[in-house]
Amino acid sequence: MDNRNTPANTWIDALTTEHVKRLRPYESARRLFSASTKSGDANSQVWLNANEAPVADEFRVNSEVFNRYPDCQPEELISAYASYCGLENRQVITTRGADEGIELIIRGFCDAGKDSVLICPPTYGMYAISAQTFNVGVEKAQLKPDFSLDLQAIEQYVDKVKVVFLCSPNNPTGTRLSEDDVIAVLNMFKNKAVVVLDEAYIEFDAEHAKTNLLAQFDNLVILRTLSKAFALAGIRCGFVLSNPIIAKVLMKVIAPYPVPAPVAQIATSALSESGIAHMRNRVQDLQAGMVFITDALQQHGEVEIVGDTKANFVLFRHEANAELMDYLVDHDMIIRNQSKQISLHNCLRITVGSEKENHALIHLINDFFKRKAA
Ligand SMILES: *Cc1c(COP(=O)(O)O)cnc(C)c1O
């Protein structure tokens, strides 16, 4: 935020903690392109920048209970999610999105000004930002050129970090971590650190869920969300899966009423048998859209698909990425620039949209290259 024009704020500055002064907030897709940042009509824009689902479902809520505070952990919702992933209720915590899960883990296990977490970039930005918000250090063990884990680099941090963040399928590379590597990291940090496996996109790679490892490794924590495959980013609902002892620690630092009653109702209904079947159909449609987009991109010789397509987005590299991004934004097609991330120079990320949106996108990209060639 630009505060050059705000009136004298020296006393507020003096009050603000040093680490918050240093903090650069997360540039969420919605902050970068909110409905108001562009003069254009938000309704005419196509948003393929935040890995959301393209179409919303309809839900009914029961407002009869809205005068009461909700349960901290609504039983029906916990049971529905536990049954969805084959776990016991006491292994499941529901949170205000997976982002709150990240925060709870850092608050539960890291001493401000003293401890650190380990991230493996390029990866999801909130691990580092959440840590910095609490004045917790951020160490980095960069992914290898093929985006697999660099186990030797990670091993340097045993005894130096309290939490390790892994992500599979990884955002923004769309790559899956090998089970052997995840197990190697769990063993490395056994009795020493919590290993978080962020499975925000696991429905797009469902056979590779690692929930089975929870029984074997008591330092594993898995993050889940309804924001991606379940098409519910707007309700803010996520889950933390862990052994009951870690769950108890997290329950100490959670807000008293993290999940609003309408959210719990909608989420429970999305996790019904028909809700899950509907989600699986959506995943299939999006996977077909993914094939369409990657095939079309590959028609352009200089476009390089980067990483893999195990989630609901495609990452690609092109020298003229900035120009292409501007061209698309000018035509109300909003995608995400990832070129500032470690090892992702010249990379853009496209979220798979509806069939119509995907066609409009490819039409514009083809136009761009035609004009460039002319
Ligand atoms: C979108 C995303 C999240 C955040 O999910 P919410 O439940 O919407 O907070 C967490 N991790 C990754 C890797 C994501 O891409």
Side-chain angles (χ1 to χ4, degrees):
M1 198 178 287
D2 185 350
N3 52 12
R4 270 171 304 185
N5 297 322
T6 51
N9 55 6
T10 45
W11 71 270
I12 300 176
D13 249 16
L15 281 186
T16 309
T17 60
E18 287 306 316
H19 71 277
V20 168
K21 274 189 226 169
R22 281 196 302 271
L23 197 64
R24 279 190 54 224
Y26 184 62
E27 289 188 329
S28 70
R30 203 56 78 244
R31 268 192 189 174
L32 289 171
F33 286 99
S34 71
S36 60
T37 43
K38 233 191 133 247
S39 48
D41 173 9
N43 291 322
S44 67
Q45 289 182 342
V46 177
W47 283 351
L48 303 181
N49 59 340
N51 301 344
E52 299 150 333
V55 181
D57 294 325
E58 272 187 50
F59 291 93
R60 277 175 206 289
V61 293
N62 170 16
S63 60
E64 278 169 28
V65 296
F66 290 177
N67 59 321
R68 302 290 176 199
Y69 285 109
D71 286 337
C72 177
Q73 294 291 296
E75 170 107 31
E76 262 193 298
L77 175 56
I78 296 292
S79 297
Y81 203 81
S83 124
Y84 165 63
C85 54
L87 296 173
E88 291 171 36
N89 286 23
R90 59 200 191 111
Q91 295 175 287
V92 178
I93 293 177
T94 180
T95 55
R96 205 185 300 122
D99 281 350
E100 188 186 27
I102 296 167
E103 196 182 299
L104 295 181
I105 293 160
I106 292 171
R107 289 198 354 240
F109 294 101
C110 296
D111 253 336
K114 197 173 117 203
D115 294 331
S116 295
V117 302
L118 179 66
I119 64 169
C120 303
T123 192
Y124 184 52
M126 278 307 291
Y127 313 136
I129 297 210
S130 216
Q132 287 157 359
T133 303
F134 296 106
N135 199 18
V136 162
V138 179
E139 301 289 355
K140 293 179 183 145
Q142 205 178 317
L143 294 174
K144 294 204 270 195
D146 65 354
F147 302 124
S148 62
L149 294 176
D150 185 339
L151 295 178
Q152 281 179 320
I154 292 173
E155 193 154 29
Q156 309 302 308
Y157 293 98
V158 174
D159 291 322
K160 297 197 177 108
V161 297
K162 290 267 197 89
V163 180
V164 179
F165 285 100
L166 309 179
C167 186
S168 183
N170 185 38
N171 177 9
T173 60
T175 45
R176 173 200 301 150
L177 295 178
S178 85
E179 176 154 295
D180 287 351
D181 283 0
V182 172
I183 290 176
V185 174
L186 286 163
N187 279 320
M188 244 180 239
F189 290 91
K190 194 176 165 66
N191 299 335
K192 294 180 182 248
V194 171
V195 176
V196 179
L197 181 61
D198 186 340
E199 292 190 336
Y201 298 94
I202 200 63
E203 286 79 12
F204 299 96
D205 192 30
E207 281 136 63
H208 292 85
K210 297 282 175 280
T211 34
N212 59 312
L213 295 181
L214 284 169
Q216 214 179 322
F217 294 96
D218 64 5
N219 58 342
L220 174 61
V221 175
I222 294 178
L223 295 176
R224 295 288 188 86
T225 180
L226 299 187
S227 296
K228 308 290 161 56
F230 281 93
L232 286 171
I235 72 166
R236 314 301 303 124
C237 185
F239 299 89
V240 181
L241 315 177
S242 71
N243 74 60
I245 304 169
I246 287 186
K248 259 193 194 151
V249 174
L250 302 180
M251 284 306 294
K252 282 184 162 184
V253 296
I254 202 167
Y257 316 106
V259 178
V263 171
Q265 292 176 12
I266 291 166
T268 304
S269 138
L271 290 162
S272 66
E273 210 173 306
S274 66
I276 291 170
H278 183 58
M279 176 279 288
R280 292 199 172 118
N281 285 333
R282 172 185 303 112
V283 166
Q284 281 192 350
D285 290 348
L286 292 174
Q287 283 168 336
M290 174 78 86
V291 172
F292 169 77
I293 293 175
T294 47
D295 281 355
L297 286 175
Q298 278 166 329
Q299 301 303 307
H300 301 285
E302 330 88 272
V303 169
E304 178 200 350
I305 304 287
V306 175
D308 205 343
T309 53
K310 302 284 189 247
N312 65 339
F313 50 83
V314 190
L315 187 67
F316 71 99
R317 176 174 283 134
H318 190 277
E319 276 196 8
N321 68 95
E323 213 182 315
L324 173 58
M325 178 90 195
D326 288 345
Y327 183 80
L328 293 177
V329 171
D330 281 347
H331 291 82
D332 285 332
M333 178 66 64
I334 316 297
I335 65 171
R336 189 91 199 248
N337 195 330
Q338 295 284 349
S339 57
K340 281 190 214 146
Q341 283 232 46
I342 286 178
S343 63
L344 298 187
H345 62 277
N346 291 348
C347 283
L348 301 176
R349 190 193 68 195
I350 298 171
T351 305
V352 178
S354 67
E355 203 176 332
K356 190 171 157 217
E357 291 170 336
N358 299 339
H359 279 87
L361 166 86
I362 293 304
H363 188 79
L364 283 172
I365 291 179
N366 290 346
D367 263 5
F368 172 83
F369 285 116
K370 227 179 271 166
R371 281 167 192 242
K372 238 183 125 52

Coordinates of all heavy atoms in Angstrom, one line a residue, residues 78-111:
I78 N -17.1 -32.2 10.6 CA -15.9 -33.0 10.9 C -16.2 -34.5 10.5 O -15.3 -35.1 9.8 CB -15.6 -33.0 12.4 CG1 -15.2 -31.5 12.8 CG2 -14.5 -33.9 12.8 CD1 -13.9 -31.0 12.2
S79 N -17.3 -35.0 10.8 CA -17.6 -36.4 10.4 C -17.7 -36.6 8.9 O -17.2 -37.5 8.4 CB -19.0 -36.8 11.0 OG -19.0 -36.8 12.4
A80 N -18.2 -35.6 8.3 CA -18.3 -35.7 6.8 C -16.9 -35.7 6.2 O -16.7 -36.5 5.3 CB -19.2 -34.5 6.2
Y81 N -16.1 -34.8 6.7 CA -14.7 -34.7 6.1 C -13.9 -36.0 6.5 O -13.2 -36.5 5.6 CB -14.0 -33.5 6.4 CG -12.9 -33.2 5.4 CD1 -13.2 -32.6 4.2 CD2 -11.6 -33.6 5.6 CE1 -12.3 -32.4 3.2 CE2 -10.6 -33.5 4.6 CZ -11.0 -32.9 3.4 OH -10.1 -32.7 2.4
A82 N -14.0 -36.4 7.7 CA -13.3 -37.6 8.2 C -13.7 -38.8 7.3 O -12.9 -39.6 6.8 CB -13.6 -37.9 9.6
S83 N -15.0 -38.9 7.0 CA -15.5 -40.0 6.2 C -15.0 -39.9 4.8 O -14.6 -40.9 4.1 CB -17.0 -40.2 6.4 OG -17.6 -40.2 5.2
Y84 N -15.0 -38.6 4.2 CA -14.5 -38.4 2.9 C -13.0 -38.9 2.7 O -12.7 -39.4 1.7 CB -14.6 -36.9 2.6 CG -13.8 -36.4 1.4 CD1 -14.1 -36.9 0.1 CD2 -12.8 -35.5 1.5 CE1 -13.4 -36.4 -1.0 CE2 -12.1 -35.0 0.4 CZ -12.4 -35.5 -0.8 OH -11.7 -35.1 -1.9
C85 N -12.2 -38.6 3.8 CA -10.8 -39.0 3.6 C -10.4 -40.3 4.4 O -9.2 -40.6 4.5 CB -9.9 -37.9 3.8 SG -10.0 -37.1 5.3
G86 N -11.4 -41.0 4.9 CA -11.1 -42.3 5.6 C -10.3 -42.1 6.9 O -9.4 -43.0 7.2
L87 N -10.5 -41.1 7.6 CA -9.9 -40.9 8.9 C -10.9 -40.9 10.1 O -12.1 -40.9 9.8 CB -9.1 -39.6 8.9 CG -7.9 -39.5 7.9 CD1 -7.4 -38.1 7.9 CD2 -6.8 -40.5 8.2
E88 N -10.3 -40.8 11.3 CA -11.2 -40.7 12.5 C -11.5 -39.2 12.7 O -10.6 -38.4 12.4 CB -10.5 -41.3 13.7 CG -10.4 -42.8 13.7 CD -9.5 -43.2 14.8 OE1 -9.5 -42.6 15.9 OE2 -8.7 -44.2 14.6
N89 N -12.6 -38.9 13.3 CA -12.9 -37.5 13.6 C -11.8 -36.8 14.4 O -11.6 -35.6 14.1 CB -14.2 -37.4 14.5 CG -15.4 -37.7 13.6 OD1 -15.3 -38.4 12.6 ND2 -16.6 -37.3 14.0
R90 N -11.2 -37.5 15.3 CA -10.2 -36.8 16.1 C -8.9 -36.5 15.4 O -8.0 -35.9 15.9 CB -9.9 -37.6 17.4 CG -9.4 -38.9 17.2 CD -9.6 -39.9 18.3 NE -8.8 -41.1 18.0 CZ -7.7 -41.5 18.7 NH1 -7.3 -40.8 19.7 NH2 -7.0 -42.5 18.3
Q91 N -8.8 -36.9 14.1 CA -7.7 -36.5 13.3 C -8.0 -35.3 12.4 O -7.1 -34.9 11.6 CB -7.3 -37.7 12.4 CG -6.8 -38.9 13.1 CD -6.6 -40.1 12.2 OE1 -7.5 -40.7 11.7 NE2 -5.3 -40.4 11.9
V92 N -9.2 -34.8 12.5 CA -9.6 -33.7 11.6 C -10.0 -32.4 12.4 O -10.7 -32.5 13.3 CB -10.8 -34.2 10.8 CG1 -11.3 -33.1 9.9 CG2 -10.6 -35.5 10.0
I93 N -9.4 -31.3 11.9 CA -9.8 -30.0 12.4 C -10.2 -29.2 11.2 O -9.6 -29.2 10.2 CB -8.6 -29.3 13.1 CG1 -8.1 -30.0 14.3 CG2 -8.9 -27.8 13.4 CD1 -6.9 -29.3 15.0
T94 N -11.3 -28.5 11.4 CA -11.8 -27.6 10.3 C -11.4 -26.1 10.6 O -11.4 -25.7 11.8 CB -13.3 -27.7 10.0 OG1 -13.6 -26.8 8.9 CG2 -14.1 -27.4 11.2
T95 N -10.9 -25.4 9.6 CA -10.4 -24.1 9.8 C -11.0 -23.1 8.7 O -11.7 -23.5 7.8 CB -8.9 -24.1 9.5 OG1 -8.6 -24.7 8.3 CG2 -8.1 -24.9 10.6
R96 N -10.7 -21.8 8.9 CA -11.1 -20.8 8.0 C -10.2 -20.8 6.8 O -9.3 -20.0 6.6 CB -11.0 -19.5 8.7 CG -11.9 -18.4 8.3 CD -11.6 -17.1 9.0 NE -11.7 -17.1 10.4 CZ -10.8 -16.8 11.3 NH1 -9.5 -16.5 10.9 NH2 -11.0 -16.9 12.6
G97 N -10.4 -21.8 5.9 CA -9.5 -22.0 4.8 C -8.2 -22.7 5.2 O -7.9 -22.7 6.4
A98 N -7.5 -23.3 4.3 CA -6.2 -24.0 4.6 C -5.2 -22.9 5.1 O -4.3 -23.2 5.9 CB -5.7 -24.7 3.3
D99 N -5.4 -21.7 4.6 CA -4.5 -20.6 5.1 C -4.5 -20.5 6.6 O -3.5 -20.2 7.2 CB -4.9 -19.2 4.5 CG -4.5 -19.1 3.1 OD1 -3.7 -19.9 2.6 OD2 -4.9 -18.1 2.4
E100 N -5.7 -20.6 7.3 CA -5.7 -20.6 8.7 C -5.0 -21.8 9.3 O -4.3 -21.7 10.4 CB -7.1 -20.5 9.3 CG -7.1 -20.2 10.8 CD -8.5 -20.3 11.5 OE1 -9.4 -21.0 11.0 OE2 -8.6 -19.6 12.5
G101 N -5.1 -22.9 8.6 CA -4.3 -24.1 9.1 C -2.8 -23.8 9.1 O -2.1 -24.2 10.1
I102 N -2.3 -23.2 8.1 CA -0.9 -22.8 8.0 C -0.5 -21.9 9.3 O 0.5 -22.2 10.0 CB -0.6 -22.0 6.7 CG1 -0.8 -22.9 5.5 CG2 0.8 -21.4 6.8 CD1 -0.8 -22.1 4.2
E103 N -1.4 -21.0 9.5 CA -1.2 -20.1 10.6 C -1.2 -20.8 12.0 O -0.3 -20.5 12.8 CB -2.3 -19.0 10.6 CG -2.0 -17.8 11.4 CD -3.2 -16.8 11.3 OE1 -3.5 -16.3 10.2 OE2 -3.7 -16.5 12.4
L104 N -2.1 -21.7 12.2 CA -2.2 -22.4 13.4 C -1.0 -23.2 13.7 O -0.5 -23.3 14.8 CB -3.5 -23.3 13.4 CG -4.8 -22.7 13.3 CD1 -5.9 -23.8 13.4 CD2 -5.1 -21.7 14.5
I105 N -0.5 -23.8 12.6 CA 0.7 -24.7 12.8 C 1.9 -23.8 13.2 O 2.7 -24.1 14.1 CB 1.0 -25.4 11.5 CG1 -0.1 -26.5 11.2 CG2 2.4 -26.1 11.6 CD1 -0.2 -26.9 9.8
I106 N 2.1 -22.7 12.6 CA 3.2 -21.8 13.0 C 3.0 -21.2 14.4 O 3.9 -21.2 15.2 CB 3.3 -20.6 11.9 CG1 3.7 -21.2 10.6 CG2 4.2 -19.5 12.4 CD1 3.7 -20.2 9.4
R107 N 1.7 -20.8 14.7 CA 1.5 -20.3 16.1 C 1.7 -21.4 17.1 O 2.1 -21.1 18.2 CB 0.1 -19.7 16.1 CG 0.1 -18.4 15.4 CD -1.0 -17.4 15.7 NE -2.0 -17.9 16.6 CZ -3.3 -18.0 16.3 NH1 -3.8 -17.7 15.1 NH2 -4.2 -18.4 17.2
G108 N 1.3 -22.6 16.8 CA 1.3 -23.7 17.7 C 2.8 -24.2 18.0 O 3.1 -24.6 19.1
F109 N 3.6 -24.1 17.0 CA 5.0 -24.7 17.2 C 6.2 -23.8 17.1 O 7.3 -24.2 17.4 CB 5.1 -25.8 16.1 CG 4.1 -27.0 16.3 CD1 3.0 -27.1 15.6 CD2 4.4 -27.9 17.3 CE1 2.1 -28.1 15.8 CE2 3.5 -28.9 17.6 CZ 2.3 -29.0 16.8
C110 N 6.0 -22.5 16.7 CA 7.1 -21.7 16.5 C 7.1 -20.5 17.5 O 6.1 -19.8 17.7 CB 7.2 -21.1 15.1 SG 7.4 -22.4 13.9
D111 N 8.3 -20.3 18.2 CA 8.5 -19.2 19.1 C 8.9 -17.9 18.3 O 9.8 -18.0 17.5 CB 9.6 -19.5 20.1 CG 9.1 -19.7 21.4 OD1 8.0 -19.3 21.8 OD2 9.8 -20.4 22.2

